[in-house]
Amino acid sequence: LLIQGAEALDFPADSFDLVICVGVLDAAGPDNARAAVRKLSEILAPGARGMFLFASDRDFRVGVEHPFGLRIHGYSRAEVEDLFAGSFIEVLVDRYITTYEGGRYEQNDWLVTIRN
């Protein structure tokens, strides 16, 4: 288990072939997320793939106080495009939507897949 800020990731270039990031960028907020994405683009090997799943601005969890005072940021489409712009060879942006209680609540996430 690795728990540390993106700026503390101390791996040489081309260290990883795959990154899976679920529920991190929304909890980190835009500035920290931007630093994480930049750092990942440096340490992923050529041809590496990645998957990122994080809250959109249409998610029911956005703006709600969670345990331990955690608040998640819901990203707009423009913020997602800005976050990944120029960092990877290929960036595919999709939505991943899950509903609860007969559609009463909608977990509306961005699903971003990348190729380095």
Side-chain angles (χ1 to χ4, degrees):
L1 178 63
L2 179 67
I3 301 174
Q4 59 189 25
E7 69 284 350
L9 293 175
D10 189 23
F11 297 99
D14 306 340
S15 291
F16 298 96
D17 295 317
L18 175 68
V19 63
I20 298 172
C21 180
V22 177
V24 174
L25 301 182
D26 44 13
D31 292 337
N32 292 327
R34 199 169 288 102
V37 169
R38 273 196 307 270
K39 186 64 173 181
L40 285 170
S41 71
E42 296 170 7
I43 62 176
L44 287 173
R49 303 246 177 209
M51 185 214 66
F52 301 82
L53 186 68
F54 53 98
S56 82
D57 52 357
R58 295 192 280 184
D59 192 292
F60 82 98
R61 300 166 295 167
V62 173
V64 175
E65 184 91 14
H66 297 278
F68 311 109
L70 177 66
R71 293 182 74 81
I72 64 172
H73 178 77
Y75 289 82
S76 68
R77 176 72 185 228
E79 286 177 304
V80 173
E81 290 173 358
D82 180 60
L83 186 61
F84 290 91
S87 296
F88 303 102
I89 291 172
E90 182 176 44
V91 177
L92 302 173
V93 179
D94 294 291
R95 288 203 183 259
Y96 184 82
I97 299 170
T98 306
T99 61
Y100 305 96
E101 295 185 17
R104 182 175 176 197
Y105 298 103
E106 182 175 279
Q107 183 172 328
N108 191 310
D109 290 310
W110 293 110
L111 174 60
V112 177
T113 52
I114 59 96
R115 184 170 52 93
N116 201 28

